[in-house]
């Protein structure tokens, strides 16, 4: 069982920010990554459609014999993970915006969150915010248009910077000191955001926490790979694989998959 791969999926290339954290923490693990770039962005789709796509991705990874599935997408997690957990008999790790650490550490009592419409409108997001951020002002901003730009490799383009400026302005005016990146595509914007934001603002995402949770569950369920063979890492995309290759610095085995 332990030799079976970790399955990871996202609406596109964003979840590779999570894959990288997992691979760094668990270098011995075999992994299969699925980028459903053809259907990106998920963020504007209905809950029903997000669920349908999440089921399709899950079944693909189950067919490949995955021992655990990491839903490396905030939008799919917040809209579909309870269904997936209830209907498939393997562990699922999800990702949610890191509201809790931001709310615990903010000095200005004001935090900003940039995420998709699908995440910000989900019940799970509201439940988490009510639970951990009472008494804190949470400025929610839908990152409309960001994912399609990232999917076409525009991490630092003029258009991207203009979009980010519009989204950050209301947050800066209200004195945020934490910016939560609530979409797995957004960590690729950290170099651009760092240049745009004042130094007192901390940018956080949930990537490392997801990798640690994956490690904890595999350990608890005795599923860690104990083999000494070189791990097999395969990434598949039904979109433009050149963008996937470029965010991975051409370091991994990437293939086009018609699904
Ligand atoms: N990477 C995704 C997330 O974490 C999905 C974004 C999208 O497809 O809209 O929400």
């Amino acid at each position: 069982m332990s030799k079976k791969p970790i399955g990871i999926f996202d609406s596109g290339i964003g979840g590779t920010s999570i894959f990288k954290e997992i691979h760094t923490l668990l270098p011995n693990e075999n992994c299969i990554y699925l980028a459903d770039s053809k259907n990106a962005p998920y963020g504007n789709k209905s809950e029903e459609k997000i669920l349908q796509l999440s089921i399709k991705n899950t079944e693909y990874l189950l067919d490949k014999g995955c021992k655990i599935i990491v839903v490396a997408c905030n939008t799919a997690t917040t809209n579909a993970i309870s269904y997936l957990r209830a209907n498939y008999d393997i562990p699922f790790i999800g990702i949610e915006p890191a509201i809790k650490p931001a709310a615990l550490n903010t000095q200005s009592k004001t935090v900003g969150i940039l995420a998709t419409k699908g995440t910000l409108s989900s019940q799970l997001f509201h439940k988490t915010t009510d639970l951990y951020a009472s008494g804190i002002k949470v400025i929610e901003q839908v990152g409309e248009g960001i994912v399609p730009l990232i999917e076409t490799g525009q991490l630092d383009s003029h258009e991207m910077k203009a979009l980010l400026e519009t989204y950050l302005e209301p947050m800066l005016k209200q004195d945020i000191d934490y910016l939560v990146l609530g979409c797995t595509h957004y960590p690729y914007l950290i170099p651009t955001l760092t240049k745009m934001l004042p130094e007192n603002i901390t940018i956080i995402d949930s990537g490392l926490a997801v990798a640690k949770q994956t490690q904890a569950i595999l350990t608890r369920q005795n599923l860690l790979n104990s083999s000494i063979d070189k791990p097999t890492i395969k990434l598949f995309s039904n979109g433009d694989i050149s963008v996937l290759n470029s965010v991975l610095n051409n370091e991994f085995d990437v293939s086009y998959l018609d699904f």
Side-chain angles (χ1 to χ4, degrees):
M1 182 66 169
S2 65
K3 269 191 174 180
K4 290 183 170 185
I6 297 176
I8 305 167
F9 77 80
D10 178 38
S11 64
I13 65 170
T16 54
S17 61
I18 308 299
F19 156 70
K20 286 178 190 170
E21 299 276 11
I22 291 174
H23 180 58
T24 305
L25 194 65
L26 300 165
N28 208 30
E29 293 295 325
N30 299 304
C31 293
I32 299 183
Y33 181 93
L34 193 58
D36 187 17
S37 292
K38 190 173 78 182
N39 292 301
Y42 281 12
N44 299 339
K45 294 186 171 27
S46 66
E47 191 177 342
E48 204 185 338
K49 185 70 190 171
I50 297 166
L51 180 60
Q52 185 198 321
L53 293 167
S54 301
I55 291 171
K56 185 175 157 220
N57 297 335
T58 296
E59 296 206 338
Y60 178 83
L61 293 171
L62 286 176
D63 262 9
K64 297 283 163 200
C66 292
K67 60 185 175 186
I68 188 169
I69 292 181
V70 179
V71 182
C73 174
N74 293 261
T75 312
T77 298
T78 48
N79 287 276
I81 202 154
S82 3
Y83 178 92
L84 299 176
R85 285 188 174 134
N87 287 277
Y88 297 97
D89 200 18
I90 56 159
F92 284 87
I93 307 292
I95 179 162
E96 280 188 73
I99 284 288
K100 186 180 171 185
L104 279 174
N105 293 304
T106 174
Q107 299 295 308
S108 65
K109 303 287 172 224
T110 311
V111 304
I113 166 153
L114 195 58
T116 69
K117 184 165 163 254
T119 295
L120 294 176
S121 60
S122 68
Q123 280 179 19
L124 189 55
F125 172 73
H126 286 117
K127 223 168 108 186
T128 308
T129 308
D130 291 347
L131 191 64
Y132 298 114
S134 66
I136 306 290
K137 191 164 170 191
V138 178
I139 303 168
E140 298 174 18
Q141 176 65 57
V142 173
E144 184 65 44
I146 295 180
V147 166
L149 288 178
I150 296 177
E151 285 289 319
T152 50
Q154 297 188 57
L155 306 181
D156 198 30
S157 68
H158 199 68
E159 208 181 323
M160 177 65 87
K161 281 188 242 174
L163 211 52
L164 291 174
E165 239 161 58
T166 320
Y167 296 155
L168 296 174
E169 198 192 77
M171 300 189 187
L172 294 176
K173 272 198 182 138
Q174 293 177 77
D175 196 25
I176 61 159
D177 58 359
Y178 274 81
L179 174 64
V180 178
L181 302 182
C183 169
T184 56
H185 281 71
Y186 301 170
Y188 285 114
L189 301 176
I190 291 176
T192 307
L193 286 166
T194 307
K195 279 186 253 157
M196 296 174 73
L197 289 170
E199 270 181 19
N200 69 312
I201 298 182
T202 307
I203 303 172
I204 52 172
D205 66 74
S206 317
L208 182 58
V210 170
K212 285 185 175 166
Q213 179 66 0
T214 307
Q215 183 184 43
I217 298 295
L218 290 178
T219 308
R220 199 184 306 157
Q221 301 204 9
N222 219 2
L223 290 174
L224 282 170
N225 186 10
S226 48
S227 156
I228 51 159
D229 298 343
K230 191 175 181 291
T232 307
I233 312 273
K234 283 186 181 297
L235 295 98
F236 298 99
S237 165
N238 54 9
D240 180 355
I241 64 164
S242 68
V243 185
L244 187 52
N245 264 319
S246 101
V247 295
L248 294 165
N249 302 318
N250 294 304
E251 283 169 21
F252 296 96
D253 178 355
V254 171
S255 313
Y256 174 77
L257 182 74
D258 190 11
F259 79 99

